[in-house]
Amino acid sequence: MSDTDGKKTLGLGAASRPGQVKQSFSHGRTKNVVVETKGKKRVLNKPSAGTAKGPGGGKSAGGDPSRRPAGISDAEMDRRMKALQAAKIREVEEAANREAEEKAREEERERRHAEAEAKEREDREREDALKAKAEEDDRKKREAELRDKKKEEIRKGAPKKDDAVQDQAAVEAAASRAETKGVVASGPRKTDRERTDRDNRANKGKTEGGGNNRRTGKLSLNDALGGGEGRQRSMAAMKRKQERQRQKAMGGSVRAEKQVRDVRLPETIVVSELANRMAERSADVVKSLMNMGMMVTGNQTIDADTAELVIEEFGHKVVRVSDADVEQVIASVDDKADDLITRPPIITIMGHVDHGKTSLLDAIRKANVVSGEAGGITQHIGAYQVTTDSGAVLTFLDTPGHAAFTSMRARGANVTDIVVLVVAADDSVMPQTIEAINHAKAAKVPMIVAINKCDKPGAEPQKVRTQLLQHEVVVEAMSGDVQDVEVSAKTGKGLDNLLEAIALQAELLELKANPDRAAQGAVIEAKLDVGRGPVATVLIENGTLHRGDIFVVGEQWGKVRALINDQGERVEDAGPSVPVEVLGLNGTPAAGDVLNVVETEAQAREIADYREQAAKDKRAAAGAATTLEQLMAKAKADESVTELPVLVKADVQGSVEAIVQALEKVGNDEVRVRILHSGVGAITESDIGLAEASGAPVIGFNVRANAPARTSANQKGVEIRYYSIIYDLVDDIKAAASGLLSAEIREHFIGYASIKEVFKVTGVGKVAGCLVTEGVARRSAGVRLLRDDVVIHEGTLKTLKRFKDEVKEVPSGQECGMAFENYDDIRAGDVIEIFEREEIERTL
């Protein structure tokens, strides 16, 4: 506050801050303000508040006009005073800012000094810790020397030290440990009397234990070194304590440096699992996701891209992996040349049906497989091993020749080394012969042509050679590079020449394999045996399969329980090019799957689960409609197509595959066969339940229904059909599907009539007086009304009369009366076309 009468006025408060107005006093029109800044006083001139112009008028801000310089108005004086006041205030603020900056620099100097002291203290503590560690190592070394010396004395039978010496050594060892670890007792020290009593009790326990103490007379580590004081603090505990003390001395807890981890990230991951891999709290991960706008919990799954953002936010490194990486354990082994040995060749017999493939193989094996085949045709793929008279070992694969077994022939060509193409001399080249040639060319394997049935009267081997030229197969007899042999499976003619040709071709191929590695093979056939479970016929391609090996094959895995060769004998192992039946699978694999031996059961199960899930996803993606247009088109197509549902069970996987492929080809745009389920093994109650729900018949190929299934089928009215020949099965299904086709309607024109006059008859309507110009007019036939050769009406006749009588038909050249059903617009000169409809059953 100020005094306008010229009196001195002191500021409020005993002390003033820098830049604060200390005193103020006025003289006339100006007021002198004393400002203290950094200990210096400054006097500022300011217009007196008492002379300012108030709201009510009064004097001007310039004070007395007589004392104001001439030519300066009141407004100008006020402006100058305000400018002067603003300049003074700015000067005060600048002084205050300079003082604040000086204070900040002082604080920075103090902080740096404190950091230097903390670093020096940390270095000193680190040196103390290293010194303590060195002392601890020295103590352990002395204790080890003492222990070794004591053991040596006991071994040599030297007299024991007295109790005083032992107590002295124990006290020294305890003191050394206490000094090294820096342990400070929190309570009062034990007196010498208490320590002596404790030692006496320990010695008394040692001497009086008798048979109750098993360690009587033995020297323990605690007794020799610690004096029975119990557990001492470990080096790690000491380091942790020192670290806590160091952090406490530095003024608060110092957070440890964050550890950066390499996080393996699959395609999808659960939030809690992501947190575990980052070693972070699940709540923090969920919070991070919520900040991204994803309301998830710890049990929900997120995609890899989102998880990568979270990992980078937490400061870790992302290692992207795929689910397919589980198959990396099946690594391809590069065999050394020294480890390779010669293996037997794999020969596949291929050709058209009924050209004598199995009979030829029987003649080589001196067996009789043909007699046990249904219908005299091969419907399974068989693997056999033959030892020739010269001692050579050959592995043969016998493939079916029927058109339905294309997949079997393709598998046989893919796993083989040599293809023997069997062509009948009396039947020449047939469709499956051409298919076999294409399979061999696709697999890039050499081919040997065996012209069979040369003993028959109508045999023409030269015709076979000529026809093979059309398919780019040039035999040696016609200056080509493909070997050809004329044989007869019935008489045995030319078999030695065939075996010699096979041995020559195998020698040129230089077939070798490494038997000392993990086995790898191909599934030739698979079936579900009632007593043995899933059984797979495997052809070993490389390595050796032992009993007890853990393997994965397709979507299945297992452990080899037994190995059975082609003679039905149990063997302990199977080497390269050896066909065996493998028992011990957890399910029936698909024919053509690859068998690989792995190290652990967990690996096999993981690989099988991944393959099964991948197959499910693939089937789901293939059957799903991706767009609305595709969905509507699929629904419309399903409405227009009539389906024949069937359920197929067969004895082996290859037969199931062949039957399913053959039935899928049955049908057209109006009807098709839908396979509800296909599997290997006997027909069960669950199959009957599925067939009943869909109204489908059950097809059994070389299998039968068990007793409960037969009873259930009789009760529910489900039809079960058994087949042993694939011809009959396909023909019956084709006939059943043909019955679902709508009948074809054909029209036959039977006559024409010309309208001469139109009459109106009461109760009937208009009646046309007609002349039958061609054919015949029938009462039951359909009619069309033509006007200027344009059809204007199609319907039926309401009446057909000859004079006054109702007749069934009127022949050509006669007159009659006709009236249309529900139609009266008839005129003279119109032509009536008379026709009949005929329904014809259609077949596939």
Side-chain angles (χ1 to χ4, degrees):
M1 54 186 297
S2 63
D3 188 0
T4 59
D5 297 332
K7 296 181 180 180
K8 182 179 178 181
T9 304
L10 299 177
L12 298 177
S16 299
R17 295 186 299 274
Q20 183 180 5
V21 177
K22 190 73 174 180
Q23 311 178 28
S24 67
F25 52 92
S26 61
H27 295 281
R29 72 173 185 266
T30 62
K31 180 174 70 173
N32 296 331
V33 181
V34 180
V35 179
E36 183 178 352
T37 305
K38 296 184 181 178
K40 298 180 181 180
K41 297 182 178 180
R42 298 182 182 182
V43 180
L44 307 178
N45 294 327
K46 186 177 182 182
S48 176
T51 61
K53 187 177 181 180
K59 295 181 181 180
S60 64
D64 189 0
S66 62
R67 297 182 180 181
R68 192 172 57 219
I72 298 178
S73 63
D74 293 344
E76 179 66 15
M77 193 65 180
D78 291 341
R79 185 185 64 78
R80 291 186 179 185
M81 288 300 176
K82 289 180 180 179
L84 180 62
Q85 184 180 3
K88 299 302 181 182
I89 292 175
R90 283 197 302 272
E91 184 179 356
V92 172
E93 290 176 353
E94 289 174 359
N97 292 336
R98 285 194 297 271
E99 184 178 357
E101 291 175 358
E102 184 67 24
K103 185 177 179 180
R105 284 194 292 270
E106 184 67 23
E107 290 176 354
E108 179 67 17
R109 284 194 295 270
E110 291 177 359
R111 186 183 63 80
R112 291 182 179 179
H113 182 67
E115 289 179 353
E117 289 181 351
K119 185 176 181 181
E120 183 180 356
R121 184 167 58 253
E122 184 178 354
D123 294 339
R124 188 166 56 254
E125 289 174 352
R126 188 183 298 109
E127 292 175 357
D128 293 341
L130 294 175
K131 184 178 178 181
K133 183 178 180 182
E135 292 175 354
E136 178 71 12
D137 295 339
D138 187 60
R139 182 187 65 79
K140 290 182 178 179
K141 184 177 180 180
R142 291 198 305 272
E143 290 175 353
E145 293 175 355
L146 179 62
R147 184 165 56 252
D148 295 339
K149 184 177 179 181
K150 191 68 178 178
K151 290 181 179 179
E152 185 67 20
E153 290 176 357
I154 294 175
R155 187 178 62 82
K156 293 181 178 181
K160 296 183 180 179
K161 295 181 180 181
D162 55 1
D163 295 338
V165 176
Q166 293 183 9
D167 293 343
Q168 183 64 24
V171 170
E172 291 178 357
S176 176
R177 282 195 306 274
E179 181 181 357
T180 303
K181 296 184 178 181
V183 179
V184 180
S186 59
R189 295 177 178 270
K190 293 186 177 180
T191 63
D192 294 340
R193 181 180 181 84
E194 290 174 342
R195 189 179 295 107
T196 304
D197 293 343
R198 183 197 62 208
D199 296 337
N200 291 337
R201 287 194 300 271
N203 294 333
K204 182 178 179 181
K206 292 179 181 179
T207 55
E208 295 179 359
N212 297 329
N213 189 0
R214 297 180 56 192
R215 301 188 60 84
T216 301
K218 295 182 180 180
L219 181 64
S220 66
L221 188 61
N222 286 336
D223 292 338
L225 304 178
E229 293 183 2
R231 289 186 60 186
Q232 299 296 328
R233 300 188 66 179
S234 65
M235 193 70 181
M238 184 187 70
K239 290 181 179 179
R240 289 194 297 269
K241 182 177 179 180
Q242 290 179 349
E243 180 67 19
R244 288 194 298 270
Q245 291 176 351
R246 183 181 68 82
Q247 294 177 0
K248 185 176 180 181
M250 292 180 65
S253 62
V254 179
R255 188 170 183 178
E257 184 179 356
K258 185 178 181 65
Q259 183 177 2
V260 179
R261 302 176 183 274
D262 292 335
V263 182
R264 294 175 61 85
L265 183 60
E267 298 298 331
T268 57
I269 188 170
V270 180
V271 175
S272 58
E273 176 63 20
L274 177 62
N276 291 337
R277 296 187 181 187
M278 294 191 299
E280 303 285 350
R281 295 173 59 246
S282 296
D284 295 339
V285 178
V286 172
K287 182 179 179 181
S288 175
L289 289 169
M290 288 185 175
N291 291 335
M292 296 180 184
M294 297 182 63
M295 300 294 116
V296 298
T297 63
N299 297 327
Q300 288 183 259
T301 303
I302 58 176
D303 60 284
D305 295 335
T306 305
E308 184 174 356
L309 296 177
V310 175
I311 294 171
E312 291 177 351
E313 181 179 346
F314 280 90
H316 299 289
K317 296 180 180 179
V318 180
V319 180
R320 295 292 289 264
V321 296
S322 174
D323 293 339
D325 293 343
V326 298
E327 297 197 19
Q328 291 181 353
V329 296
I330 309 175
S332 58
V333 180
D334 295 331
D335 298 320
K336 298 180 180 179
D338 299 338
D339 299 334
L340 300 177
I341 62 172
T342 304
R343 65 171 177 85
I346 302 172
I347 304 101
T348 301
I349 309 295
M350 303 179 73
H352 191 71
V353 63
D354 203 25
H355 276 202
K357 299 181 297 298
T358 306
S359 300
L360 181 61
L361 187 56
D362 286 346
I364 297 174
R365 297 176 61 231
K366 299 180 176 60
N368 189 12
V369 177
V370 176
S371 61
E373 292 181 333
I377 64 169
T378 302
Q379 299 180 108
H380 304 93
I381 186 169
Y384 313 98
Q385 200 161 36
V386 178
T387 303
T388 63
D389 296 337
S390 61
V393 179
L394 306 176
T395 300
F396 284 96
L397 296 181
D398 185 18
T399 60
H402 188 265
F405 297 97
T406 300
S407 298
M408 286 190 184
R409 287 190 291 276
R411 278 198 302 275
N414 289 333
V415 301
T416 191
D417 300 316
I418 303 171
V419 170
V420 175
L421 181 64
V422 178
V423 186
D426 61 340
D427 202 11
S428 189
V429 177
M430 300 299 287
Q432 270 60 60
T433 307
I434 301 171
E435 184 186 277
I437 294 172
N438 294 332
H439 285 315
K441 289 181 179 179
K444 297 181 181 179
V445 293
M447 187 188 314
I448 299 175
V449 178
I451 305 176
N452 196 17
K453 301 185 181 180
C454 289
D455 58 313
K456 298 186 74 172
E460 297 182 15
Q462 192 62 31
K463 180 182 178 183
V464 173
R465 297 186 180 97
T466 304
Q467 290 186 348
L468 288 175
L469 291 174
Q470 301 175 8
H471 306 285
E472 300 178 359
V473 178
V474 184
V475 298
E476 290 182 345
M478 305 186 73
S479 302
D481 56 353
V482 178
Q483 300 183 75
D484 64 310
V485 183
E486 296 183 7
V487 296
S488 173
K490 188 173 183 180
T491 63
K493 171 190 173 183
L495 294 182
D496 295 338
N497 297 333
L498 178 60
L499 295 177
E500 182 180 352
I502 293 173
L504 177 60
Q505 188 66 57
E507 186 177 352
L508 293 175
L509 293 175
E510 295 182 356
L511 303 172
K512 293 184 178 181
N514 180 13
D516 299 328
R517 54 166 286 181
Q520 178 180 349
V523 177
I524 302 301
E525 196 59 272
K527 61 183 178 180
L528 184 63
D529 195 286
V530 176
R532 300 183 297 173
V535 180
T537 302
V538 179
L539 180 62
I540 308 299
E541 297 176 340
N542 210 342
T544 302
L545 183 64
H546 304 275
R547 192 166 67 88
D549 283 348
I550 298 171
F551 62 90
V552 58
V553 49
E555 301 175 20
Q556 312 298 334
W557 65 276
K559 184 176 181 181
V560 179
R561 199 172 68 219
L563 296 173
I564 302 174
N565 62 11
D566 60 319
Q567 303 295 331
E569 302 169 350
R570 292 205 171 201
V571 293
E572 290 295 320
D573 49 39
S577 302
V578 177
V580 288
E581 283 188 343
V582 179
L583 280 70
L585 293 101
N586 71 326
T588 306
D593 287 342
V594 178
L595 181 143
N596 294 100
V597 172
V598 296
E599 294 180 358
T600 63
E601 183 177 323
Q603 290 178 348
R605 186 183 292 108
E606 186 178 12
I607 294 172
D609 292 343
Y610 161 71
R611 290 178 176 176
E612 184 178 2
Q613 185 62 38
K616 287 182 180 178
D617 295 342
K618 186 176 180 180
R619 288 193 295 268
T626 55
T627 63
L628 182 61
E629 290 78 5
Q630 292 176 349
L631 184 64
M632 297 300 293
K634 185 175 183 297
K636 186 176 181 180
D638 291 342
E639 290 178 358
S640 61
V641 177
T642 305
E643 291 184 340
L644 173 64
V646 295
L647 192 146
V648 178
K649 296 297 286 290
D651 53 344
V652 296
Q653 188 71 34
S655 297
V656 172
E657 185 180 19
I659 293 170
V660 169
Q661 291 178 355
L663 295 184
E664 286 178 347
K665 296 177 182 178
V666 174
N668 54 18
D669 296 338
E670 298 181 26
V671 64
R672 66 186 176 194
V673 178
R674 182 164 66 97
I675 308 297
L676 290 178
H677 172 69
S678 61
V680 176
I683 301 171
T684 61
E685 281 188 277
S686 60
D687 298 329
I688 301 300
L690 177 60
E692 182 204 13
S694 304
V698 180
I699 307 299
F701 186 77
N702 288 334
V703 295
R704 294 294 182 267
N706 53 30
R710 289 196 298 269
T711 303
S712 177
N714 293 332
Q715 293 174 352
K716 298 176 180 179
V718 176
E719 181 183 9
I720 301 177
R721 294 189 178 187
Y722 299 117
Y723 297 92
S724 58
I725 301 176
I726 196 170
Y727 294 117
D728 301 336
L729 188 153
V730 175
D731 291 343
D732 285 0
I733 296 298
K734 188 177 293 186
S738 300
L740 299 177
L741 290 173
S742 58
E744 181 182 358
I745 298 176
R746 294 182 181 178
E747 293 183 354
H748 299 283
F749 297 100
I750 59 175
Y752 288 90
S754 177
I755 300 178
K756 299 299 183 180
E757 191 65 45
V758 178
F759 305 96
K760 290 185 178 181
V761 179
T762 305
V764 178
K766 290 184 179 181
V767 176
C770 304
L771 174 64
V772 180
T773 58
E774 183 179 347
V776 64
R778 288 198 180 95
R779 171 70 176 82
S780 59
V783 291
R784 291 191 183 96
L785 182 63
L786 306 180
R787 184 173 297 161
D788 298 329
D789 295 329
V790 177
V791 178
I792 62 173
H793 175 69
E794 178 177 346
T796 58
L797 291 176
K798 181 166 59 175
T799 179
L800 176 62
K801 291 187 176 183
R802 171 74 176 159
F803 297 108
K804 294 183 179 182
D805 300 327
E806 189 77 25
V807 295
K808 292 183 178 181
E809 64 178 34
V810 177
S812 176
Q814 295 187 2
E815 295 180 348
C816 62
M818 297 183 186
F820 290 91
E821 191 77 40
N822 301 324
Y823 189 79
D824 288 337
D825 185 16
I826 54 178
R827 302 175 186 174
D830 293 347
V831 178
I832 298 176
E833 183 181 71
I834 307 155
F835 62 91
E836 288 183 342
R837 289 188 175 94
E838 179 184 6
E839 293 186 355
I840 300 176
E841 292 186 0
R842 299 163 59 196
T843 57
L844 294 172

